[in-house]
Amino acid sequence: MKSVQAFAPATVANVSCGFDILGFAIEGMGDRVTLREKETPGLVVSSIQGDGGKLPKDPIKNTCSVAIQALLDELGQNVGMEICLEKGLPLGSGMGSSAASAVAALVAANHLLGNPFEKKDLLPFAMAAEKAACGAGHADNVGPSLLGGFVLIRDYHPLDVIKLHVPKDLYCTLLHPHFELNTADSRSVLRDSIPLKHATIQSGNVAGLVAGLYEEDFDLISRSLRDVIAEPYRAVLIPGFYEVREAIKGAGALGMGISGSGPTLFCLSKGKEKAAKIAEAAKEVYQSIGLGVDVYFSAINTAGGYVLEG
Amino acid sequence: MKSVQAFAPATVANVSCGFDILGFAIEGMGDRVTLREKETPGLVVSSIQGDGGKLPKDPIKNTCSVAIQALLDELGQNVGMEICLEKGLPLGSGMGSSAASAVAALVAANHLLGNPFEKKDLLPFAMAAEKAACGAGHADNVGPSLLGGFVLIRDYHPLDVIKLHVPKDLYCTLLHPHFELNTADSRSVLRDSIPLKHATIQSGNVAGLVAGLYEEDFDLISRSLRDVIAEPYRAVLIPGFYEVREAIKGAGALGMGISGSGPTLFCLSKGKEKAAKIAEAAKEVYQSIGLGVDVYFSAINTAGGYVLEG
């Protein structure tokens, strides 16, 4: 029987001024899914590693099987598959953990079936899995995890996903404090309506960020990395936010923001050296406030999910 | 005594999803200013043509002299100049009429004085003139009239103006109905606060428009030319808005929006032929509703204000 292993990267959604419309993928960190064809139809989640026993194996609830089932339903096929998930990402951290699992599962399944879909066309299936996992079929994690790079979700009706240009030297440092933040809490602090003035500021910054990516203008990227919509309300829920922001500026970061709905923070920088310095500077701050943290830095992943073996 | 003549182009501010942050310049249409050095210090507006006698010659109120005075104050000079203004743009039409006068005056004055300022650094003086003319020192008309092309006003504090890439084949059709729309009325219909959902849609579209300009992706530009913030409230003030929009779609327009605060409408298209077809289609609609209209089409002006003679 055939077997395929695929990988999909961690992602940062929102990206400050890109609230609810932008996300990008991180090189190196991510989830692996191994699929084995089986003779009897139906999906079975046979093993999950690295989740501390927290994720469901029930195929109706598991992100991987929900995603693959959506794909099989579209094809009208009922192929039997055994799913092994290796979590490389912490759960509920704001690094697109469920998205990476769903994308890795879909990339593997599509390969196993002889690639009936273009990569981009796997997105709705991944969104169906996000809906099952998080209650909303957002694309700002699954989009970049699937396609790589910086991804703009221009619209959902119909879905319009655009891969933006990314300067080669752009690096990301991720700071994952050992602290749980409930996504619902993080969402509930947002206002349903906002001042028109704030909407205009946010628009100006997101336009500046996109232009900065295309122009490879790191100063412009830096000036544009501001969020007046979500960050002012969410930052107060994240211990050390303002102290870390001060410290990473001194280490040469272009800017910092909340990854997804937190508590992980992301910093962008020009070049690997600065990304490493930022990681060190942030670690010191977390140490000083007595909070454990995992730090990680890498280039922007531009490939998205891909097949490792099979 | 030295003499200089300069030209500055008409501009479209807002550009649908770019409400209050984007503007672009139009090739060919604009205002001319001729300056003549005079022996006695002080500014004199000696002639204004094409305004139907509506513009003030008082140097404290005239856009050209206010702009030049701001420049002279910055230099600490008191050079005497005689100002002749030839209006090529209708007043209060939403085509950046006051901006074109101020920019032409500044480009001429800077040349006459031996170019003490870089072109970009003339912007604050033009904004001072806009403040005198319109009550607010907006940069979304003076920015593109001075610099040419598509201009993003990312921020005002401090001023951050970015010239975006423009595809060569991008054309604009301007439709100026013979109808007066009070700018204050057009501003007063806007809401002070908006749903967060609308802010997100607007952000997605402006990010899509900027990416579309850089990618030279006309379909993406077309999909992104939507305004959920100002247009729904302003369109009802502009006779024929919805009928024209329907007609120009059939003629191959990428999209249509309100130029500035109206009543002029702008349509974008790929290539000159479509721009001409759009002009014809729109004319028919205005004729059918019994409203006079001036139509004009051209490429995007990428040079901005420049010296004609001197």
Side-chain angles (χ1 to χ4, degrees):
Chain A
M1 304 299 277
K2 281 189 285 185
S3 156
V4 179
Q5 188 178 60
F7 171 86
T11 45
V12 169
N14 289 338
V15 199
S16 296
C17 53
F19 176 70
D20 263 6
I21 61 164
L22 279 183
F24 64 84
I26 302 291
E27 191 71 25
M29 271 188 118
D31 287 358
R32 280 169 195 237
V33 169
T34 308
L35 296 183
R36 283 183 198 89
E37 222 175 346
K38 62 185 183 66
E39 284 185 6
T40 51
L43 303 176
V44 174
V45 182
S46 59
S47 78
I48 306 178
Q49 286 168 34
D51 68 328
K54 287 185 181 168
L55 291 176
K57 284 190 176 176
D58 181 347
I60 295 171
K61 293 179 183 166
N62 183 278
T63 298
C64 298
S65 42
V66 170
I68 296 173
Q69 192 61 55
L71 181 153
L72 291 174
D73 289 349
E74 179 69 21
L75 287 174
Q77 290 187 14
N78 195 3
V79 180
M81 293 183 200
E82 192 187 305
I83 302 165
C84 300
L85 169 61
E86 294 167 69
K87 292 296 300 176
L89 300 180
L91 311 182
S93 60
M95 289 192 248
S97 179
S98 62
S101 297
V103 168
L106 287 166
V107 169
N110 195 43
H111 187 82
L112 196 75
L113 298 166
N115 293 310
F117 292 100
E118 297 281 322
K119 204 178 180 189
K120 199 172 178 173
D121 297 331
L122 297 173
L123 202 51
F125 313 133
M127 288 167 66
E130 283 287 78
K131 195 167 183 182
C134 319
H138 285 303
D140 49 355
N141 285 114
V142 287
S145 187
L146 180 67
L147 303 171
F150 258 79
V151 169
L152 165 66
I153 319 297
R154 194 196 60 80
D155 201 356
Y156 282 93
H157 310 289
L159 187 63
D160 191 6
V161 173
I162 297 120
K163 199 171 163 176
L164 307 174
H165 177 78
V166 181
K168 261 189 190 162
D169 258 3
L170 193 63
Y171 274 73
C172 176
T173 307
L174 281 180
L175 313 168
H176 173 226
H178 299 164
F179 166 79
E180 282 206 19
L181 180 62
N182 188 304
T183 305
D185 287 347
S186 192
R187 194 89 207 169
S188 72
V189 296
L190 300 182
R191 308 298 192 253
D192 286 338
S193 73
I194 62 167
L196 174 57
K197 201 179 155 186
H198 288 183
T200 305
I201 293 171
Q202 194 89 344
S203 276
N205 283 323
V206 80
L209 177 56
V210 174
L213 291 170
Y214 278 93
E215 297 276 359
E216 306 205 345
D217 180 339
F218 290 91
D219 279 343
L220 176 54
I221 292 171
S222 179
R223 297 197 301 276
S224 305
L225 279 173
R226 304 193 196 289
D227 172 16
V228 296
I229 288 181
E231 192 178 285
Y233 302 108
R234 286 179 169 171
V236 293
L237 303 175
I238 299 173
F241 180 90
Y242 295 104
E243 295 88 337
V244 172
R245 190 165 67 180
E246 210 46 45
I248 59 98
K249 262 188 214 165
L254 299 170
M256 184 189 95
I258 300 165
S259 180
S261 53
T264 296
L265 304 177
F266 76 93
C267 310
L268 292 178
S269 57
K270 185 180 179 183
K272 200 172 181 176
E273 263 185 43
K274 278 188 187 152
K277 266 193 192 173
I278 291 161
E280 288 310 309
K283 255 194 220 171
E284 279 179 30
V285 174
Y286 283 108
Q287 203 165 19
S288 75
I289 59 171
L291 190 60
V293 67
D294 298 315
V295 300
Y296 186 84
F297 61 90
S298 82
I300 305 302
N301 168 311
T302 54
Y306 59 93
V307 172
L308 289 164
E309 286 172 42
Chain B
M1 303 300 277
K2 281 189 286 185
S3 155
V4 179
Q5 188 177 59
F7 171 86
T11 45
V12 169
N14 289 336
V15 198
S16 295
C17 53
F19 174 71
D20 263 5
I21 60 164
L22 280 183
F24 65 83
I26 302 291
E27 191 71 26
M29 270 189 120
D31 287 358
R32 280 169 195 236
V33 169
T34 308
L35 296 184
R36 284 184 199 88
E37 223 176 345
K38 63 184 183 65
E39 283 184 11
T40 51
L43 303 177
V44 174
V45 182
S46 58
S47 78
I48 305 178
Q49 288 170 33
D51 68 328
K54 286 185 182 169
L55 291 177
K57 284 191 179 174
D58 181 345
I60 294 171
K61 292 180 183 165
N62 183 278
T63 298
C64 298
S65 42
V66 170
I68 296 173
Q69 192 60 55
L71 181 152
L72 291 174
D73 289 348
E74 179 70 21
L75 287 174
Q77 291 188 11
N78 194 5
V79 181
M81 292 185 202
E82 193 188 305
I83 301 165
C84 299
L85 169 61
E86 295 167 66
K87 291 296 301 175
L89 300 179
L91 310 182
S93 60
M95 288 193 249
S97 179
S98 62
S101 298
V103 168
L106 286 167
V107 169
N110 195 42
H111 188 81
L112 196 74
L113 298 166
N115 293 309
F117 292 100
E118 296 282 320
K119 204 177 182 190
K120 200 173 178 173
D121 297 331
L122 298 173
L123 202 50
F125 312 132
M127 288 167 66
E130 283 287 76
K131 195 168 182 182
C134 319
H138 284 302
D140 49 355
N141 286 112
V142 286
S145 187
L146 180 67
L147 303 171
F150 258 79
V151 169
L152 165 66
I153 319 296
R154 194 197 59 80
D155 201 355
Y156 283 92
H157 310 289
L159 187 63
D160 191 6
V161 172
I162 297 121
K163 199 170 164 176
L164 307 174
H165 178 78
V166 181
K168 262 189 191 162
D169 259 3
L170 193 62
Y171 274 72
C172 176
T173 307
L174 281 180
L175 314 168
H176 173 226
H178 298 165
F179 166 78
E180 281 206 21
L181 180 61
N182 188 303
T183 304
D185 287 347
S186 193
R187 194 86 207 173
S188 71
V189 295
L190 300 182
R191 307 299 192 253
D192 285 337
S193 73
I194 63 166
L196 173 57
K197 200 179 155 186
H198 287 184
T200 306
I201 293 171
Q202 195 89 346
S203 276
N205 283 323
V206 80
L209 177 56
V210 174
L213 291 171
Y214 278 93
E215 296 276 359
E216 307 205 344
D217 180 338
F218 290 91
D219 278 343
L220 176 54
I221 292 170
S222 178
R223 297 197 300 278
S224 305
L225 280 173
R226 303 190 196 294
D227 171 16
V228 296
I229 287 181
E231 191 178 285
Y233 303 107
R234 286 180 170 172
V236 293
L237 303 176
I238 299 173
F241 180 91
Y242 295 103
E243 295 87 338
V244 172
R245 190 165 69 180
E246 210 46 45
I248 58 98
K249 262 187 215 165
L254 299 170
M256 184 189 96
I258 301 165
S259 181
S261 54
T264 296
L265 304 176
F266 75 92
C267 310
L268 292 178
S269 57
K270 185 180 179 181
K272 199 172 181 175
E273 263 185 43
K274 277 187 186 151
K277 266 194 191 171
I278 291 161
E280 287 310 309
K283 256 194 221 169
E284 279 178 31
V285 174
Y286 283 108
Q287 202 163 22
S288 74
I289 61 172
L291 190 60
V293 67
D294 298 314
V295 301
Y296 185 84
F297 60 92
S298 82
I300 306 301
N301 166 313
T302 54
Y306 58 92
V307 172
L308 290 165
E309 286 172 42

